[in-house]
Amino acid sequence: MISDPAAFEHYRRSPNAKTTLPRLLLGTAIVGLFWVATTMAVLFGGAYLFVIWQALSGTPIEGEAVQNFLASPAGILAALASFAGIWLGLWAAMRWVHHEPLTALIGTSRRVSGSGFLKGLAAVLITSLLSEILLYLLQPDLVRGAIGLSSWLLFLIPIIVLTLLQTSSEEVLFRGYLLRGLANRFQNPFIWALLPALLFTSMHWSPSSTAAINACVLASIAAFALLLTLVVYATGNLGAAFGAHLGNNLTGFLLISHQQSYNSFALFNAKPLEGPGWTTLDAVLIAAIGIVCSLLTVLLLLHPRSPLKVGPD
């Protein structure tokens, strides 16, 4: 389905001579520092203001301030906003370590492919609908979320914007900075494709979930990471990956949530994956659903006869 890798070859050869492995490691460390600093500033600052607001409004204060803040709608918005630290870190790394513009990470044209973005978004929304139908057949425990329709509409644009900030930052880091830099130094795809995908997947480990559920979630995330890597390989641009990742996360944030800690804005809540009652068979079936839907998304985006087929940058 990927007959001409010329776009990716151009993308992988676009870094300058300063994209060495030590500089790539240094840049990654800089991104991590910016991300941690921004997260701490946003979360602790937000928690402080949240406690003050609770005290002024006469709301009883129970438990830890940061945990209470993160469980609130404002906390979710703040958590999404904290991903701005990745963008800031990448800007600093590209400017001071590699002496390249940040836009070089986007693609060979140095701009986001609009058509690729829309096709990636549409493809994942289609397969996410199929995924939710299959998950409902597996576990039909679906209830209306606490948010009212008017409030949902009020928060719709902010959630979309902040989710785009979150997903795009992850794509620029894992499918842009790391993948491009490693592909420039190594020919073996098991290095430049597998290492960023494994790092991205490992970040989704949940200590509150069982081993079986963690395994199924990580398998699904790994399949999704492979999908995102393939579309970057096919296009030499992050546009389709931006759209696909956004569609995936918006489905969970705004439509049907499978995580109790991120369900404040979802219209419907499914049985939380971190909750009890899941069997090993359930975990296997959930993983299978995730993998199959990622493969279907690959077909939608890369099959020659698909109306959503993405093209090279």
Side-chain angles (χ1 to χ4, degrees), residues 10 117 134 223:
H10 190 187
F117 176 86
L134 295 175

Side-chain angles (χ1 to χ4, degrees), residues 8-313:
F8 182 76
E9 287 301 316
H10 190 187
Y11 180 58
R12 76 189 296 174
R13 293 172 183 170
S14 62
N16 60 27
K18 295 185 181 297
T19 305
T20 61
L21 190 58
R23 287 176 180 265
L24 194 64
L25 293 173
L26 175 60
T28 303
I30 290 174
V31 174
L33 288 174
F34 269 83
W35 189 10
V36 170
T38 304
T39 299
M40 292 182 65
V42 169
L43 296 187
F44 284 105
Y48 177 75
L49 295 175
F50 185 69
V51 169
I52 293 177
W53 175 80
Q54 283 186 313
L56 293 176
S57 62
T59 304
I61 301 176
E62 299 178 356
E64 295 186 7
V66 175
Q67 290 182 348
N68 291 339
F69 174 62
L70 286 175
S72 69
I76 294 177
L77 295 176
L80 293 174
S82 69
F83 282 83
I86 294 180
W87 276 107
L88 293 173
L90 286 169
W91 174 83
M94 292 297 287
R95 181 179 178 85
W96 296 325
V97 178
H98 302 287
H99 303 286
E100 286 189 279
L102 180 61
T103 53
L105 299 177
I106 302 299
T108 53
S109 64
R110 299 194 174 185
R111 60 179 178 81
V112 175
S113 169
S115 62
F117 176 86
L118 293 175
K119 288 178 179 179
L121 177 63
V124 169
L125 289 177
I126 291 171
T127 54
S128 291
L129 175 61
L130 173 62
S131 173
E132 293 300 338
I133 292 173
L134 295 175
L135 289 172
Y136 178 79
L137 295 176
L138 173 64
Q139 177 53 258
D141 186 8
L142 192 68
V143 297
R144 181 68 170 83
I147 191 170
L149 183 58
S150 58
S151 298
W152 186 83
L153 291 172
L154 179 66
F155 282 104
L156 182 62
I157 299 302
I159 285 292
I160 292 175
V161 171
L162 289 175
T163 303
L164 179 59
L165 172 67
Q166 177 235 336
T167 54
S168 63
S169 68
E170 292 182 349
E171 289 310 305
V172 174
L173 174 58
F174 292 104
R175 254 68 62 181
Y177 183 73
L178 291 176
L179 188 150
R180 174 178 178 261
L182 290 172
N184 181 256
R185 308 305 303 176
F186 302 99
Q187 289 292 326
N188 192 336
F190 284 102
I191 297 176
W192 58 258
L194 192 59
L195 288 181
L198 287 176
L199 182 59
F200 173 76
T201 301
S202 66
M203 293 176 59
H204 292 80
W205 174 273
S206 173
S208 60
S209 299
T210 65
I213 289 297
N214 262 318
C216 85
V217 169
L218 294 182
S220 299
I221 296 296
F224 190 62
L226 174 62
L227 150 69
L228 297 171
T229 301
L230 283 174
V231 296
V232 173
Y233 181 76
T235 63
N237 190 278
L238 298 183
F242 278 2
H245 201 161
L246 177 65
N248 179 78
N249 286 25
L250 282 181
T251 302
F253 284 143
L254 290 173
L255 299 178
I256 302 176
S257 174
H258 295 270
Q259 292 179 281
Q260 192 170 3
S261 54
Y262 288 96
N263 64 6
S264 296
F265 299 103
L267 288 175
F268 298 94
N269 293 329
K271 182 179 177 179
L273 290 173
E274 65 267 32
W278 294 104
T279 66
T280 301
L281 178 59
D282 290 335
V284 171
L285 292 175
I286 292 170
I289 291 171
I291 293 171
V292 168
C293 287
S294 288
L295 292 175
L296 289 175
T297 307
V298 170
L299 289 176
L300 285 174
L301 292 175
L302 299 182
H303 195 278
R305 296 184 179 180
S306 171
L308 296 177
K309 182 181 183 299
V310 292
D313 189 8

